[in-house]
Amino acid sequence: MKRAYDVVIVGSGVAGIAAANTLAGHGLEILVIDENPHAGGQILRQNCRVTDGFWEFDPRLGRSGRTVSIRKIVQSLRPIQRPKGITCVHQARVLGIFSDLQLLVHVPDTLYPGGSGSGRVLEIDAGYLLLATGARERCLPFKGWTLPGVMSLGAAQILMKSSGILPARKTLIAGTSPLQTVLALEILKNKGNVTAILDENHLTKKLGLLPLLKHHGSLAGEGAMQMLRLLIRQVRFRQGVRVTEARGKNGLSAVVTAGLDRKGNTVPGTFQTYPARALAVGHGFTANIELPVQAGCALDYDADRGGWVVRVDDALETSVAEVYAAGEITGIAGAGKSFVEGKLAAVSILEKLGEKTGPDVCVPELVRMQKQQMGYASFLNQLCQVPSSAYEAIDDEVLICRCEEISMGEIRKQISQGFVTGGSLKKATRCGMGRCQGRICQPLLFDILQALTGQTPEQIGSPSFRAPVKNVPLESFLHP
Amino acid sequence: MGSRVPHIVVIGGGVIGTSIAWHLAKKAARVTLIESNDLASGSSGACDGLVFMQSKKPGIHLRLAMESLKRFSDLKKELPMDIEFRQAGGRVVIQTPAEYQAMEQFVQAQQEIGLDVCLMDAKDTLAAEPFLSPDIYGSTWSPLDAQVNPIKLTLGFALGARKNHACIMTRSPVLGIHTKNNRVTGVVTTKGEMAADMVVNAAGARSGLIAQMVGIDLPVRPRRGQLVVTQATSRMIFSCMISAGYIAAKFDPSLADDAGEGMSMEQTDNGNLLLGSTREFEGFCTQNTLSGIRRIISRTTAILPALTRLQVIRTFAGLRPFTPDGLPILGPVASMDGFFMAAGHEGDGIALSPITGELVADMILGQKSAIPLTPFSLERFTTPKGQAHG
């Protein structure tokens, strides 16, 4: 591993791989850093197991100008010999970005045998930086959501994809996210059972959002096919219900739900109890903006893009010069947009470097496709959106910050004392100051503040993060 | 004063400004506190919580600190927030024979004026703090030293002030100060103008920028201090600690040649360890640096090797309001009527906030104060007879 690279790509999901493919072959030294053991990110987790080589999307992908579906992305992925000039480091984390694009990177001991076992922290200089750090799931808190057996939809998928383990013999699926059907199919494929899918969205809401999919026929088709396959397998579907409580002593044993009216408020007297050992629940996604925020990149708030996202120009450059962003961190819109943006950001960097990009690359066409793919964001994020009444209804005893064990009651109390900005509420409650550094509770705290105070996102303020954006052993700093 | 109650505007929502506002409001003064961002969003939210007596130079500085310390136990009861004040004693860790010699003299001077402090050898030190490195040379110990949660203290002062009818305006940067015939008359913020009979500059490291608005040059410079925060863990140190090098860096730079900036360690009520610190002049930059983080970690792990097992969860940096003689600037300013200073505490703002608030409030309200403020006047830097402290 060198200490300086022409381009450093953070994250090797769809956007990261697409960018690396485009940047390869220009004589550049490129470093791809990923915290997972393998490339692929969340979508291609299972498809990128071999570590020795590299991955490539079929160069014809996306050339038709039509939208790029997840299915096509998965199908066009193929293993290749690692291109000259590309270095991949896995299980490594970028802890911070400092002036002159100096990166603080924690690398595992496998790269430097004979270490302490804690890895070590290195400084890497980047000529250009491409952030493709993806997104994570979010979840509406309810009583008992910290019980063992309650997990996010993505966590249940990772259990199966990475470890080959089912969440339980029977899994209950809930929330607002389109991942519900994806997970259900994955569970059936792995010979598990789905107790039921409890979708918070009424059919009328979903139908009302369909016009947003007018340029995304293939995605709508994919969704419809998934539903059809689940119906054929006789999976129970309920719409317009929300999980209000998870019960159990040492682990989950039962889930209580309530029916919802058209506005998403729970209807009294509609409670129902399901026995369950595993509950997978998700309410959409939130962008992994910790690193760009730490680096000083400006943000925009857009509920239709999933909340706070990184502000980029048409070339995908952020407000910090030479720092580019691609994929979910510029707006939650799925793998198709990530693919196009990875490519577009790479082309922008090549143009800045004065490199010729080949006859098959057309920047205006990429920009057009990027805008088209972003259209899906409105559908996706409106579908996942939880009404503010749901945050108002959270019980006082529900833990919001799991690390510091801060309850909704404490948050309500401090809001009533006047701590109504994100920063001041964090100071008054310690919510978000714990070990996960607010990855779970910060977006929640923001939504709670919006729901309880009615302020604008700008009044509440965007989150702040400091290096190291993820925990790192103190010992790793001791080896220069 | 006539029938009209004078309006006092305090600029700065850090620990000093909120303390002054609370002390004033308690005495029924008409007070408005203005903060450009959120409360405790500057250095009061980016510092450790040491309330250390041993680190103060014998003289007016230590006297001020001792008076401040006395007030903390009352604050614990009076403020509407748990300020996590804990008087578990403090230790200055000695790492070399040369430091031991220097500390012997320092302790003697402190004992002579009645500070409860003693010198301990390595064996006694390790008996009290078993996780310290066996390589240390000894320590000095005082049962008086304490710690507090600086954010909670600031928020507690602010909530207490508001309970006593002070007006608190956050997210309101000050744009200018109106004057007439060398007298302050009002303050302009992004949210509008307000009349003011008195203005208190408690803007900490940024107090120089506020003073410039009325044509006053302050010798206050931001001196960056970086801190490293570990995960919460079971008790690893039983009292707060600084290194002898820290005292050296503070008072006698020649002694600090090898030790550099020294180090400080504190374990909060929550179990996190706060490791510090650096002393750097880098303007208003509050970024952390890799070299700063590495310096802090190598110094603290040399003294407390058990730290290496912990995770770093956060780093941050605050700006100490540095003054040339290490003492704050408190009180009226000769060239501008109605303009008062309460800034320049360097690294002692948290520890000195209770007494600062009280003294400044008393002085503004024309009441007799526990300690005269003359040694802290701004004019000590300009008048030839004003002798720089120490």
Side-chain angles (χ1 to χ4, degrees):
Chain A
M1 201 171 157
K2 297 190 177 70
R3 292 300 176 98
Y5 289 87
D6 296 316
V7 185
V8 175
I9 301 173
V10 187
S12 61
V14 174
I17 292 174
N21 291 165
T22 311
L23 287 166
H26 289 270
L28 298 169
E29 286 294 336
I30 298 156
L31 175 67
V32 184
I33 302 176
D34 195 290
E35 62 183 354
N36 290 297
H38 310 289
Q42 304 303 332
I43 298 282
L44 305 172
R45 181 178 290 278
Q46 220 174 358
N47 311 83
C48 292
R49 279 298 174 81
V50 183
T51 48
D52 215 23
F54 198 63
W55 299 92
E56 187 184 61
F57 293 114
D58 188 323
R60 284 166 300 183
L61 182 65
R63 211 176 279 173
S64 63
R66 299 229 308 273
T67 54
V68 185
S69 69
I70 293 176
R71 194 172 49 84
K72 279 192 213 151
I73 286 174
V74 174
Q75 281 170 356
S76 74
L77 183 77
R78 61 193 186 200
I80 51 166
Q81 288 258 315
R82 197 191 345 261
K84 206 170 160 289
I86 291 192
T87 307
C88 294
V89 186
H90 286 284
Q91 288 178 306
R93 290 168 296 175
V94 180
L95 306 174
I97 298 162
F98 295 90
S99 44
D100 301 326
L101 292 201
Q102 191 169 63
L103 273 56
L104 216 56
V105 185
H106 180 259
V107 296
D109 274 332
T110 45
L111 281 179
Y112 294 94
S116 59
S118 306
R120 63 180 69 196
V121 174
L122 304 176
E123 287 155 293
I124 306 274
D125 288 316
Y128 286 84
L129 185 60
L130 173 55
L131 301 174
T133 48
R136 60 180 179 273
E137 258 190 296
R138 56 191 309 161
C139 181
L140 175 70
F142 46 86
K143 235 190 258 182
W145 76 310
T146 53
L147 272 176
V150 181
M151 66 194 83
S152 69
L153 298 165
Q157 277 183 301
I158 292 171
L159 265 183
M160 290 182 287
K161 285 186 184 179
S162 293
S163 311
I165 295 170
L166 284 164
R169 200 159 291 179
K170 285 181 169 180
T171 304
L172 195 60
I173 296 175
T176 56
S177 164
L179 274 190
Q180 291 176 99
T181 48
V182 179
L183 173 66
L185 285 169
E186 191 80 25
I187 288 174
L188 296 179
K189 199 175 94 187
N190 285 284
K191 310 275 183 273
N193 291 302
V194 175
T195 316
I197 295 178
L198 309 173
D199 193 342
E200 287 186 27
N201 292 318
H202 283 283
L203 186 63
T204 44
K205 175 179 167 184
K206 288 188 245 183
L207 291 176
L209 292 176
L210 276 183
L212 293 171
L213 283 180
K214 62 181 174 204
H215 296 301
H216 302 269
S218 62
L219 290 167
E222 252 174 60
M225 280 301 293
Q226 285 168 1
M227 291 286 280
L228 197 64
R229 282 159 65 198
L230 288 170
L231 289 172
I232 293 168
R233 298 287 297 269
Q234 295 183 316
V235 170
R236 255 176 93 192
F237 249 107
R238 282 190 61 204
Q239 301 185 85
V241 283
R242 176 179 298 143
V243 173
T244 56
E245 189 180 349
R247 285 181 185 161
K249 253 206 166 131
N250 301 314
L252 182 69
S253 61
V255 172
V256 183
T257 66
L260 301 174
D261 64 19
R262 288 288 148 82
K263 284 182 178 159
N265 303 318
T266 52
V267 180
T270 55
F271 292 99
Q272 205 170 334
T273 307
Y274 295 82
R277 309 293 292 186
L279 168 66
V281 57
H283 294 86
F285 308 90
T286 188
N288 291 330
I289 53 170
E290 288 78 6
L291 200 52
V293 169
Q294 184 276 333
C297 299
L299 302 179
D300 283 318
Y301 186 89
D302 185 349
D304 271 10
R305 283 192 278 159
W308 289 108
V309 291
V310 179
R311 181 183 301 165
V312 286
D313 60 16
D314 270 355
L316 300 182
E317 191 169 7
T318 68
S319 66
V320 178
E322 272 102 48
V323 178
Y324 290 73
E328 304 287 51
I329 59 171
T330 70
I332 310 281
K337 174 177 149 294
S338 295
F339 170 78
V340 174
E341 286 196 348
K343 219 169 156 177
L344 177 57
V347 169
S348 304
I349 291 171
L350 286 174
E351 283 191 342
K352 270 268 183 79
L353 286 166
E355 293 285 327
K356 284 215 157 61
T357 47
D360 57 319
V361 176
C362 171
V363 176
E365 176 64 11
L366 280 173
V367 171
R368 189 195 63 77
M369 282 176 72
Q370 189 264 349
K371 300 232 183 304
Q372 188 186 49
Q373 293 284 354
M374 191 68 102
Y376 178 61
S378 307
F379 170 80
L380 178 64
N381 295 300
Q382 285 185 32
L383 182 73
C384 295
Q385 180 86 38
V386 175
S388 53
S389 63
Y391 291 100
E392 288 163 32
I394 298 173
D395 271 340
D396 274 353
E397 66 194 72
V398 175
L399 283 188
I400 301 299
C401 176
R402 293 165 172 237
C403 303
E404 295 290 315
E405 302 190 346
I406 311 296
S407 68
M408 185 67 187
E410 175 66 14
I411 288 168
R412 277 205 176 91
K413 183 183 146 201
Q414 297 303 345
I415 289 176
S416 74
Q417 297 232 55
F419 298 108
V420 293
T421 62
S424 66
L425 189 57
K426 181 176 169 183
K427 284 196 170 74
T429 60
R430 290 194 63 81
C431 196
M433 287 195 191
R435 228 179 135 161
C436 91
Q437 312 210 46
R439 257 187 295 284
I440 295 173
C441 66
Q442 283 291 92
L444 276 175
L445 204 61
F446 185 89
D447 288 342
I448 291 169
L449 269 170
Q450 236 184 346
L452 267 58
T453 67
Q455 296 176 99
T456 66
E458 289 70 25
Q459 283 170 327
I460 296 167
S462 59
S464 72
F465 299 100
R466 299 197 66 105
V469 296
K470 286 201 172 166
N471 293 351
V472 58
L474 202 122
E475 196 167 33
S476 59
F477 282 95
L478 288 172
H479 308 281
Chain B
M1 241 178 220
S3 60
R4 206 178 66 88
V5 183
H7 184 213
I8 307 162
V9 173
V10 180
I11 299 174
V15 76
I16 299 294
T18 54
S19 174
I20 294 169
W22 180 67
H23 280 94
L24 284 170
K26 255 198 334 178
K27 294 182 172 170
R30 215 176 116 220
V31 53
T32 301
L33 179 118
I34 303 176
E35 160 60 40
S36 64
N37 197 335
D38 282 324
L39 295 168
S41 58
S43 307
S44 301
C47 60
D48 59 39
L50 300 186
V51 181
F52 235 76
M53 297 302 114
Q54 292 187 67
S55 62
K56 309 293 178 281
K57 199 154 201 179
I60 188 78
H61 196 188
L62 182 58
R63 196 173 150 212
L64 202 62
M66 296 285 283
E67 286 298 322
S68 204
L69 177 69
K70 283 185 203 160
R71 282 146 180 87
F72 269 105
S73 24
D74 285 339
L75 285 178
K76 203 178 155 90
K77 285 173 241 147
E78 270 188 83
L79 294 184
M81 196 166 241
D82 177 12
I83 60 171
E84 296 170 21
F85 179 72
R86 206 163 69 89
Q87 195 165 15
R91 195 173 292 283
V92 178
V93 182
I94 301 169
Q95 291 170 281
T96 64
E99 280 179 3
Y100 197 85
Q101 263 180 359
M103 287 310 290
E104 246 173 348
Q105 286 175 18
F106 197 67
V107 164
Q108 208 175 0
Q110 287 175 322
Q111 283 170 337
E112 271 162 24
I113 57 143
L115 187 74
D116 188 355
V117 56
C118 66
L119 205 57
M120 283 166 102
D121 62 12
K123 193 169 149 259
D124 288 348
T125 305
L126 286 167
E129 293 282 1
F131 291 104
L132 289 186
S133 162
D135 296 337
I136 60 157
Y137 205 80
S139 67
T140 69
W141 159 260
S142 170
L144 295 172
D145 295 331
Q147 63 192 70
V148 70
N149 181 328
I151 294 177
K152 294 281 189 73
L153 179 63
T154 308
L155 300 185
F157 277 135
L159 288 180
R162 214 176 46 197
K163 271 199 176 147
N164 286 288
H165 313 291
C167 170
I168 295 189
M169 291 171 59
T170 56
R171 306 234 159 188
S172 314
V174 172
L175 301 175
I177 297 169
H178 286 316
T179 61
K180 197 176 174 187
N181 303 329
N182 266 342
R183 170 155 203 101
V184 295
T185 56
V187 176
V188 191
T189 75
T190 51
K191 289 190 181 150
E193 292 189 28
M194 67 182 84
D197 302 288
M198 287 173 246
V199 171
V200 183
N201 181 1
R206 292 174 190 277
S207 55
L209 306 175
I210 298 294
Q212 267 170 17
M213 293 176 180
V214 289
I216 294 170
D217 277 329
L218 286 189
V220 176
R221 290 167 69 197
R223 194 179 194 184
R224 184 171 69 191
Q226 303 188 38
L227 283 164
V228 171
V229 188
T230 74
Q231 71 189 92
T233 182
S234 53
R235 199 140 284 284
M236 197 175 264
I237 53 173
F238 296 87
S239 54
C240 39
M241 292 186 213
I242 56 177
S243 65
Y246 179 101
I247 293 188
K250 211 168 157 183
F251 298 112
D252 184 0
S254 66
L255 220 157
D257 279 349
D258 299 330
E261 300 146 316
M263 70 92 213
S264 64
M265 290 194 287
E266 169 197 357
Q267 192 165 12
T268 65
D269 268 17
N270 212 51
N272 305 89
L273 279 120
L274 257 60
L275 313 175
S277 176
T278 60
R279 287 176 191 271
E280 310 152 281
F281 290 112
E282 293 289 341
F284 288 100
C285 172
T286 54
Q287 267 213 335
N288 288 89
T289 60
L290 179 59
S291 68
I293 297 170
R294 278 205 212 275
R295 286 207 299 279
I296 291 168
I297 288 178
S298 68
R299 274 181 214 138
T300 49
T301 49
I303 291 173
L304 189 66
L307 282 174
T308 50
R309 295 199 312 264
L310 300 178
Q311 298 266 321
V312 177
I313 64 165
R314 194 160 51 242
T315 63
F316 53 80
L319 302 173
R320 303 183 191 87
F322 164 90
T323 62
D325 62 1
L327 286 181
I329 306 169
L330 308 174
V333 176
S335 59
M336 181 61 63
D337 285 342
F339 190 76
F340 296 87
M341 282 302 307
H345 293 72
E346 172 122 43
D348 300 325
I350 301 300
L352 298 182
S353 62
I355 189 72
T356 301
E358 182 186 308
L359 294 179
V360 173
D362 284 348
M363 189 257 319
I364 287 173
L365 300 176
Q367 293 168 351
K368 198 177 171 310
S369 65
I371 295 176
L373 286 181
T374 7
F376 305 105
S377 77
L378 174 63
E379 286 71 35
R380 72 180 187 268
F381 297 109
T382 47
T383 54
K385 65 177 175 21
Q387 209 183 349
H389 176 88

